Amino acid sequence: MRDKRQKKRVKPASEVQVESEALDSALRGFETQMAMGDTESLAVTEQQLMEEMLDPENLKQALRRVVQNKGAAGVDGMTVDKLPAYLVANWKIIHHDLLQGTYVPRAVKRVEIPKATGGVRQLGIPSVVDRFIQQALQQVLQKQWDGQFSQYSYGFRPGKSQHQAIKQAQEYVSSGLRYVVDIDLEKFFDRVNHDILMGRIAKRVTDKRVLKLIRAFLNSGMMEDGLVKPTEEGVPQGGPLSPILSNLLLDDLDQELEKRGLQFVRFADDCNIYVASERAGARVMESITNFLSKRLRLKVNEAKSAVGRPWQRKFLGFTFTWQKQPRRRIAPQALARVKAKIRQMTIRKRGDTLKQIIEELTSYLRGWLNYFGFCETPKVLHNLEKWLRHKLRCLIWKRWKRGSTRYKRLRDLGLSPRQAQLGAGNGSSGPWRMGACPPVQAALSNDYFRSLGLPDFRCSTNA
């Protein structure tokens, strides 16, 4: 049975404009409800965090962000497009409960998604109402806390990115630090200790209503197979609050590394520490493992963590060359994954048209190239593009099936009778060999695939 993949449709400008106007209309309706909200206790709690969170401009920004991010429904089944109307009808009650510290969030919905490296990642999807409240709180906390975090922490922070983290790592290697302590935390988001986390939050937040709200989100439970299970540890991935709470907890690690004068770069729970020798790396690995275990009750994944050469380890999908001035290159594992994905998309048994396959490939590859085009080894991208075109020629040649059809199609693409006859094959050569046949390459040229919308890999490298 053919695998039925959902195609990601590009919305026309008119449809995007209609959605934007609908959201603006909903925001105006919600703004009216905010103005009519319960103002009790505003005078006595002026400047407190809950009031900042409930500021109308902050709430409008949060609502817009949640609606634009879309995402799956939570345990109540409410979709994002229903959220504005729901808030218009129920905001007064929600607002009152938040001000009084009595708001009770729903359980999160457990969802499993496959990891690129194998296995599955567990997500906890909050209801859209809880996502909206978390987003409003996250915006206020981000504003207050972000400036206190280490400059070498790059994950989930405004103005910082994975590319910046990779470039910082490259600078360490260029400076002569030719060993890396690659630390991977085992199931970090699932094993965050709530009491330790709340202790860190209480040092920065004095508003007891906000502390109670965050604890309620942490302990809201997770629904699986129709049953709600208590959550006694962990920060479920999938909610707007999880990234900033994880950064707050791991700020302890950043401070410890800076206190020791170590050169490091961290993106979420991926942390690389750069040292001058293998012996120094072994000492750092042992001491930091003990620190994480005793101070934060976090466990280092021994199978995935190691001391090694930067060109033998990967960080955020990249690794480096071994030269004195190392260049960024795509990690072999990342190349293997993109090839596996392309094979899946170009499998010959697919019933989709060539146009549909190219559209799906283009959508995927543009995102992939936007990230991995940061490499400084363009030859790798050139070879990957060459291999991709070969795969597509094989697919097309195989779909033409009969020699007479192949001959006619090659003639239609501008080949001479003699070239078309050679390209049609004699029936004994397989698709892979015929995909490399000069007449087939001439007919199905690079320009031909570009005319179908296939991205040009050469324009994507940042080398």
Side-chain angles (χ1 to χ4, degrees):
M1 187 175 182
R2 183 172 66 87
D3 180 23
K4 296 181 179 178
R5 297 177 178 83
Q6 290 186 345
K7 310 297 185 299
K8 187 173 181 179
R9 184 173 63 90
V10 178
K11 295 179 181 178
S14 59
E15 190 172 333
V16 172
Q17 183 178 355
V18 169
E19 286 190 359
S20 178
E21 290 173 355
L23 176 57
D24 289 340
S25 176
L27 284 168
R28 285 194 293 272
F30 181 43
E31 188 172 12
T32 303
Q33 290 299 310
M34 287 189 289
M36 298 169 56
D38 185 356
T39 57
E40 183 181 349
S41 82
L42 282 175
V44 297
T45 58
E46 188 178 0
Q47 302 302 318
Q48 290 204 16
L49 194 58
M50 182 62 77
E51 279 69 35
E52 288 186 46
M53 186 187 99
L54 295 175
D55 177 78
E57 287 303 317
N58 185 58
L59 291 173
K60 285 195 290 184
Q61 182 184 346
L63 179 57
R64 187 179 294 277
R65 185 76 57 83
V66 170
V67 171
Q68 289 175 343
N69 287 345
K70 300 189 182 297
V75 295
D76 58 358
M78 185 191 299
T79 53
V80 168
D81 58 312
K82 303 283 179 58
L83 175 61
Y86 180 87
L87 290 176
V88 168
N90 297 277
W91 178 242
K92 189 171 183 179
I93 297 172
I94 297 171
H95 184 267
H96 177 271
D97 288 348
L98 288 168
L99 277 178
Q100 298 303 311
T102 57
Y103 181 81
V104 180
R106 294 178 180 269
V108 299
K109 181 180 179 181
R110 184 175 184 268
V111 175
E112 291 184 348
I113 61 171
K115 287 184 179 180
T117 54
V120 295
R121 187 187 306 279
Q122 290 187 9
L123 298 184
I125 308 299
S127 70
V128 292
V129 176
D130 289 340
R131 287 215 291 276
F132 162 67
I133 295 170
Q134 285 192 30
Q135 181 63 40
L137 179 55
Q138 183 270 344
Q139 290 168 181
V140 174
L141 295 180
Q142 189 88 53
K143 204 179 301 181
Q144 292 192 0
W145 294 355
D146 191 73
Q148 304 169 22
F149 292 152
S150 168
Q151 63 175 312
Y152 303 109
S153 166
Y154 291 87
F156 314 119
R157 298 182 61 190
K160 289 185 176 285
S161 68
Q162 290 170 297
H163 285 172
Q164 291 175 343
I166 295 159
K167 195 168 184 180
Q168 179 63 65
Q170 184 180 15
E171 290 176 7
Y172 288 143
V173 181
S174 297
S175 71
L177 301 175
R178 312 292 275 186
Y179 287 87
V180 60
V181 182
D182 186 355
I183 294 177
D184 182 273
L185 296 175
E186 189 172 295
K187 297 182 179 179
F188 166 71
F189 285 94
D190 298 331
R191 293 183 174 172
V192 169
N193 182 281
H194 287 177
D195 292 335
I196 292 176
L197 175 59
M198 290 304 302
R200 302 301 186 271
I201 297 171
K203 290 179 180 179
R204 289 171 167 82
V205 174
T206 57
D207 192 326
K208 293 183 178 179
R209 297 165 300 174
V210 173
L211 291 173
K212 187 177 178 182
L213 179 63
I214 294 174
R215 174 70 84 164
F217 279 125
L218 293 174
N219 295 339
S220 61
M222 183 171 291
M223 179 173 284
E224 183 180 2
D225 298 328
L227 299 175
V228 176
K229 299 179 180 179
T231 47
E232 298 175 352
E233 63 177 1
V235 181
Q237 289 178 271
L241 266 182
S242 300
I244 192 167
L245 294 184
S246 67
N247 270 339
L248 176 63
L249 184 66
L250 290 175
D251 188 56
D252 276 29
L253 172 61
D254 299 340
Q255 291 182 30
E256 180 68 15
L257 294 173
E258 289 183 351
K259 186 172 72 174
R260 298 185 187 190
L262 293 169
Q263 310 300 308
F264 73 97
V265 56
R266 183 176 65 78
F267 191 95
D269 55 334
D270 288 330
C271 183
N272 278 7
I273 307 165
Y274 293 84
V275 296
S277 69
E278 189 172 12
R279 180 178 293 181
R283 287 198 303 267
V284 169
M285 175 67 82
E286 182 180 3
S287 61
I288 294 301
T289 298
N290 290 335
F291 172 83
L292 289 166
S293 175
K294 293 177 181 178
R295 179 76 68 87
L296 301 179
R297 298 186 194 175
L298 296 173
K299 184 178 180 182
V300 171
N301 188 328
E302 295 181 3
K304 294 183 178 180
S305 303
V307 178
R309 296 289 198 174
W311 47 89
Q312 295 171 339
R313 306 294 299 176
K314 65 180 178 68
F315 180 56
L316 302 177
F318 284 84
T319 184
F320 305 104
T321 60
W322 56 268
Q323 290 95 339
K324 187 174 182 180
Q325 293 301 320
R327 291 178 296 159
R328 299 182 295 269
R329 66 184 180 94
I330 304 170
Q333 300 93 322
L335 280 174
R337 285 196 296 271
V338 71
K339 283 191 170 185
K341 183 69 174 179
I342 290 171
R343 287 190 188 97
Q344 181 186 2
M345 291 182 174
T346 57
I347 190 169
R348 295 171 200 160
K349 294 180 181 178
R350 285 190 62 170
D352 299 306
T353 65
L354 178 64
K355 181 181 178 182
Q356 290 172 323
I357 293 172
I358 293 289
E359 286 177 354
E360 185 178 339
L361 272 171
T362 299
S363 176
Y364 170 72
L365 288 172
R366 287 197 191 282
W368 190 88
L369 288 167
N370 187 51
Y371 183 73
F372 285 103
F374 190 59
C375 75
E376 295 176 310
T377 50
K379 186 176 179 180
V380 174
L381 292 179
H382 172 74
N383 290 339
L384 179 62
E385 184 179 23
K386 185 177 178 181
W387 175 83
L388 168 61
R389 290 194 298 261
H390 194 163
K391 288 285 295 180
L392 289 172
R393 290 186 186 110
C394 291
L395 175 67
I396 295 168
W397 192 87
K398 182 70 174 176
R399 285 189 166 195
W400 285 343
K401 293 184 178 179
R402 300 177 184 276
S404 57
T405 303
R406 292 165 182 161
Y407 178 84
K408 182 178 184 304
R409 295 294 174 85
L410 291 172
R411 288 283 290 134
D412 292 342
L413 288 167
L415 297 192
S416 68
R418 175 61 178 162
Q419 287 178 310
Q421 187 177 17
L422 290 172
N426 56 18
S428 61
S429 299
W432 188 256
R433 182 175 179 181
M434 292 308 300
C437 175
V440 175
Q441 288 183 330
L444 304 175
S445 64
N446 300 356
D447 289 339
Y448 170 78
F449 288 118
R450 289 191 195 108
S451 72
L452 295 177
L454 203 67
D456 189 340
F457 286 35
R458 294 173 301 174
C459 299
S460 303
T461 181
N462 292 306

